[in-house]
Amino acid sequence: MSVPEDDERLLPLAQRWPRASKFLLSGCAATVAELATFPLDLTKTRLQMQGEAALARLGDSARESAPYRGMVRTALGIIQEEGFLKLWQGVTPAIYRHVVYSGGRMVTYEHLREAVFGKSEDKHYPLWKSVIGGMMAGVIGQFLANPTDLVKVQMQMEGKRKLEGKPLRFRGVHHAFAKILAEGGIRGLWAGWVPNIQRAALVNMGDLTTYDTVKHYLVLNTPLEDNIMTHGLSSDLAGSHKATQ
């Protein structure tokens, strides 16, 4: 039954454009999560890069000469030597990546669940369908996000070049996109996509399956309805499950 045009305009945006709303909601949630956790990612990357650079220069004596030791000392060293905001240096490509990846995989999963696989007669979504749908959604989401993932890694590698005293290759995110495109063409933006989608398939097999199972349980066994609050709670629980893996 179609909804009259006048009545359709009165519907919330989430009901008028469910796919677009799902993409934006997932992208916003991913952006907030990335901003909150990026200093940890940057600190981890600095530790890895300084270890590799020191080994290349000094060999076995590199451990004694490492300027930072441990996550906390590394973070404090970045703040003291470079400034507090440098903890978010390079966050732009990471946000691009998570918006495309998270939005793409959630929209793909919802479409597979509603239009391709379908639910059973009791409105239950079987586990095997969640597993397959999660893996396919992860593959598609990661494939779409691979150019941003590549730029993120390349920008992080600039820190290693700086530690080694080499000239930087990129002036910023957009320059990195343009340079990779100029040197490798369109195919260059998808370098390394095969192992990336393999990992994404395995991660989302657990992540989205847990999300859908938790949401179904909440809708059936609690006063919660199938709305944004339930989706957010299910996503949080699914994220907690992934973090413990």
Side-chain angles (χ1 to χ4, degrees):
M1 181 177 176
S2 61
V3 179
E5 185 176 350
D6 292 339
D7 293 341
E8 184 177 354
R9 293 176 180 176
L10 299 177
L11 293 175
L13 291 177
Q15 295 182 24
R16 292 168 61 185
W17 299 298
R19 296 288 184 265
S21 299
K22 177 67 69 175
F23 184 92
L24 291 174
L25 179 63
S26 300
C28 290
T31 299
V32 172
E34 185 63 27
L35 287 172
T37 60
F38 189 80
L40 298 176
D41 191 30
L42 176 68
T43 304
K44 177 201 70 175
T45 303
R46 285 289 185 92
L47 282 170
Q48 292 171 337
M49 290 191 304
Q50 77 174 11
E52 293 174 3
L55 283 172
R57 294 196 312 268
L58 304 173
D60 294 336
S61 61
R63 293 182 180 179
E64 299 298 327
S65 63
Y68 307 131
R69 293 174 186 171
M71 293 286 287
V72 175
R73 284 191 175 184
T74 301
L76 291 176
I78 294 171
I79 294 173
Q80 293 172 356
E81 298 170 11
E82 304 176 40
F84 179 74
L85 293 180
K86 289 297 182 179
L87 288 173
W88 283 270
Q89 185 176 26
V91 72
T92 303
I95 290 177
Y96 288 170
R97 187 259 178 189
H98 279 284
V99 168
V100 176
Y101 172 68
S102 297
R105 68 174 183 148
M106 289 304 298
V107 170
T108 300
Y109 185 74
E110 293 284 341
H111 177 75
L112 290 173
R113 186 182 62 185
E114 301 295 336
V116 178
F117 293 123
K119 297 181 180 180
S120 58
E121 295 181 358
D122 62 350
K123 301 300 182 181
H124 179 66
Y125 195 54
L127 179 61
W128 69 269
K129 291 184 178 181
S130 294
V131 170
I132 296 176
M135 294 181 70
M136 293 178 65
V139 166
I140 294 174
Q142 179 57 50
F143 184 79
L144 294 174
N146 198 80
T148 57
D149 210 11
L150 178 64
V151 170
K152 173 190 172 184
V153 173
Q154 292 293 328
M155 294 295 292
Q156 288 178 333
M157 290 300 293
E158 291 296 271
K160 181 179 178 180
R161 293 179 64 88
K162 186 176 181 180
L163 287 172
E164 294 175 345
K166 297 179 180 179
L168 300 182
R169 296 171 298 173
F170 309 120
R171 296 191 299 270
V173 177
H174 299 99
H175 180 240
F177 271 110
K179 189 169 183 179
I180 293 173
L181 185 62
E183 294 178 354
I186 295 294
R187 294 182 62 181
L189 292 173
W190 271 268
W193 68 274
V194 175
N196 284 341
I197 66 170
Q198 290 173 343
R199 179 183 180 277
L202 295 177
V203 168
N204 284 276
M205 179 180 65
D207 192 7
L208 292 180
T209 299
T210 303
Y211 159 80
D212 215 41
T213 302
V214 170
K215 188 181 73 171
H216 182 73
Y217 177 85
L218 292 175
V219 171
L220 290 182
N221 297 279
T222 70
L224 295 175
E225 299 179 355
D226 190 357
N227 52 28
I228 291 179
M229 180 183 296
T230 306
H231 290 187
L233 181 58
S234 302
S235 297
D236 290 340
L237 293 174
S240 300
H241 164 267
K242 182 173 66 175
T244 59
Q245 291 181 331

